[in-house]
Amino acid sequence: MTANAAEMQEDKPLMMRRSLIRSALRATYRAATVSTSVLATYAVLSLPVQAQNAFSPAILVNGSVVSHYEIDQRAQLLNIMSAPGDIGELAREQLIDDRLKLQSAREIGIAASEEGIQNGINNFAARVNMKPEDLIKALAAEGIAEETLRDFLASQIIWGGVVNTRFGANAEVSEEEIDRAIGQNSGAGGVRVLLSEIVIPVTPQNQQQVTSLAAQISELTSFTDFENAARIYSAAGTKEDGGRLDWMNVTNLPAELRPVISALRKGQVTPPFQLPNAIALFQLRGVEETGRATPKYSAIDYAMYTLPGGRTEDNLKIVTKIRNDVDRCDDLYGIAYGQPAELLVRENLPPNEIPNDVALELAKLDKNEISTQLTTAGGQSLIVLMLCGRTAVLDEDLSREDVAQALRNARLESYANSYLSQLRAQARITEK
């Protein structure tokens, strides 16, 4: 960067600089999934002496302290990332997970090196055309300490190492699976699958029991046993039918679930699949080539209309009226007219940015169809979900290695989510 360019960078208005940082942080937040880096030493948080009074314990995770200061700092970081939901609660949950990840990493001798963390900061700064030291200053102006970003990056590094070490050997894909994936995403003909589902709600009170139950269900191979389990434990609308779903194109499923489903044989069940407030499992009942190209999608257009109060009699009457009167998504604006704007939300997002629970329901729908299976946490509100449309992308050349890597990463992510749920279920977590 020239001297004049550097001066221009310094002179950027605060709001423009903040916008750049927020954009890069959002990208980092969305990309914080599975990494395959295994690095050597973990960066230790250095606490300023004058701020020690802010570091009283807020949470103990297997005896490891999460301080009030860390929660406040992570919440500020999540806020500038524009993370969804309750920022304070999300910060607490992430830091609990970070402690569990670090403890798991220590058991097998994995840590994040200073070089690895600095590389993460350098890459991050490059996205906003800033020097690393200028990025740190800009974050400090937002009230975010350098150690907060370093800890965020270190957690990603060590967890990638843990997942790769524990499950890497199980994530290899066959040539047949690569061929199938390429066929699903090109003009070589499509694949559709016949699945059964079990969706079990998770609360802090039942998490350990649900995690244990889901692990047992994932070992089932009998169609009858899975159907019986669905009728007993599932909260999905398919429970009375033993969890049976209709045929669907594999490309309709959430991206991280596709390779897991593709690797199943008939009768096999997926590992537990983590949703925001539930755990889902799927059994493969059938698979067939459709003989025609199945498109992949660049964006999904959908609407969510929230009915406060949950599945009340009055809300179910509203649902009936919506089913009778609404033919397309635009009609929902008439239903919601005069109500708070936040009750009706319409999104047009890339498939990998849609929450898993929403993506799974959308996979079952055709254009202009409605689902009422989703609720907010605790069932406090009923969500009317409507598929407005899917935007297909044109075929393009696919590298076999790129496809294989995508399949491996998706499989690793499934293992990672299941393993983290297991760690949380077994942990001693104490709120101070």
Side-chain angles (χ1 to χ4, degrees):
M1 182 182 294
T2 66
N4 288 339
E7 290 173 5
M8 290 176 64
Q9 181 70 28
E10 283 294 325
D11 292 338
K12 279 186 177 180
L14 175 62
M15 289 305 293
M16 182 178 295
R17 182 179 64 188
R18 181 176 298 174
S19 176
L20 284 169
I21 295 172
R22 284 177 183 269
S23 177
L25 278 166
R26 283 196 296 271
T28 301
Y29 178 70
R30 288 169 181 165
T33 54
V34 176
S35 168
T36 57
S37 300
V38 181
L39 301 164
T41 55
Y42 181 69
V44 178
L45 178 66
S46 175
L47 308 180
V49 174
Q50 66 270 26
Q52 289 296 325
N53 61 331
F55 296 98
S56 57
I59 308 170
L60 292 178
V61 183
N62 293 329
S64 179
V65 172
V66 176
S67 70
H68 291 284
Y69 172 78
E70 289 175 281
I71 294 172
D72 178 67
Q73 282 283 293
R74 180 60 65 88
Q76 291 185 64
L77 186 63
L78 291 172
N79 183 56
I80 202 172
M81 288 177 176
S82 299
D86 184 328
I87 297 297
E89 182 62 26
L90 182 58
R92 298 173 75 89
E93 293 301 309
Q94 282 195 1
L95 286 165
I96 290 171
D97 286 347
D98 284 356
R99 291 298 187 273
L100 294 171
K101 292 173 182 179
L102 178 57
Q103 291 162 12
S104 179
R106 284 174 174 165
E107 289 179 1
I108 55 179
I110 290 176
S113 69
E114 175 62 28
E115 180 183 4
I117 296 171
Q118 190 58 50
N119 284 339
I121 294 174
N122 294 344
N123 292 336
F124 180 82
R127 291 183 188 146
V128 289
N129 195 29
M130 296 176 72
K131 295 179 179 178
E133 56 269 26
D134 293 333
L135 170 66
I136 298 303
K137 290 178 183 177
L139 289 175
E142 299 284 342
I144 300 170
E146 177 182 355
E147 289 82 1
T148 300
L149 178 59
R150 291 170 61 87
D151 288 348
F152 180 78
L153 295 172
S155 179
Q156 295 177 36
I157 292 170
I158 63 170
W159 186 237
V162 168
V163 172
N164 191 58
T165 300
R166 286 187 173 273
F167 306 112
N170 297 326
E172 294 306 314
V173 295
S174 67
E175 293 300 314
E176 180 182 358
E177 289 166 343
I178 296 172
D179 290 338
R180 185 185 300 174
I182 291 175
Q184 292 165 11
N185 290 276
S186 68
V191 174
R192 65 176 189 164
V193 291
L194 192 60
L195 301 174
S196 295
E197 66 175 351
I198 294 176
V199 180
I200 310 175
V202 175
T203 66
Q205 293 74 29
N206 73 0
Q207 186 173 32
Q208 185 168 355
Q209 294 92 326
V210 170
T211 300
S212 176
L213 174 62
Q216 295 177 51
I217 293 174
S218 69
E219 299 297 324
L220 297 177
T221 57
S222 162
F223 295 127
T224 300
D225 289 346
F226 191 90
E227 289 177 9
N228 289 338
R231 293 188 178 96
I232 297 171
Y233 302 112
S234 183
T238 55
K239 66 175 298 180
E240 297 303 326
D241 293 327
R244 289 173 169 257
L245 296 168
D246 292 331
W247 286 99
M248 68 175 69
N249 292 328
V250 170
T251 51
N252 285 8
L253 292 167
E256 64 190 272
L257 190 57
R258 290 176 209 159
V260 180
I261 296 294
S262 296
L264 295 179
R265 296 187 298 274
K266 288 183 182 180
Q268 285 188 320
V269 179
T270 63
F273 185 68
Q274 192 69 46
L275 302 176
N277 300 297
I279 289 178
L281 302 105
F282 301 88
Q283 184 180 49
L284 181 66
R285 299 188 349 254
V287 59
E288 69 176 21
E289 300 282 345
T290 63
R292 62 182 182 276
T294 303
K296 60 178 181 179
Y297 303 105
S298 61
I300 308 295
D301 182 10
Y302 65 96
M304 298 176 65
Y305 179 44
T306 301
L307 298 174
R311 294 188 184 280
T312 64
E313 184 176 342
D314 287 343
N315 279 347
L316 292 178
K317 290 180 180 178
I318 295 174
V319 168
T320 299
K321 176 176 174 58
I322 290 173
R323 291 189 183 279
N324 291 336
D325 297 348
V326 171
D327 296 320
R328 56 197 182 100
C329 286
D330 288 348
D331 297 339
L332 287 172
Y333 293 105
I335 297 290
Y337 181 77
Q339 300 177 25
E342 62 269 18
L343 293 183
L344 177 58
V345 176
R346 186 162 177 177
E347 300 277 13
N348 191 28
L349 297 175
N352 63 347
E353 294 184 17
I354 300 174
N356 283 334
D357 54 344
V358 176
L360 283 172
E361 285 304 307
L362 291 173
K364 306 170 191 176
L365 302 178
D366 292 325
K367 184 178 179 179
N368 296 324
E369 286 189 334
I370 286 172
S371 166
T372 58
Q373 291 303 308
L374 298 179
T375 61
T376 57
Q380 297 174 353
S381 297
L382 176 62
I383 296 174
V384 178
L385 177 67
M386 188 170 192
L387 175 63
C388 310
R390 297 183 174 98
T391 302
V393 298
L394 297 176
D395 295 339
E396 57 187 36
D397 292 336
L398 296 172
S399 159
R400 291 186 68 82
E401 181 52 37
D402 288 343
V403 172
Q405 188 61 48
L407 292 172
R408 284 193 292 267
N409 287 345
R411 196 165 296 174
L412 281 173
E413 186 169 358
S414 178
Y415 281 120
N417 291 336
S418 179
Y419 181 48
L420 185 57
S421 294
Q422 178 184 340
L423 292 177
R424 285 195 69 121
Q426 296 171 347
R428 301 185 306 279
I429 301 173
T430 306
E431 302 275 348
K432 303 299 285 184

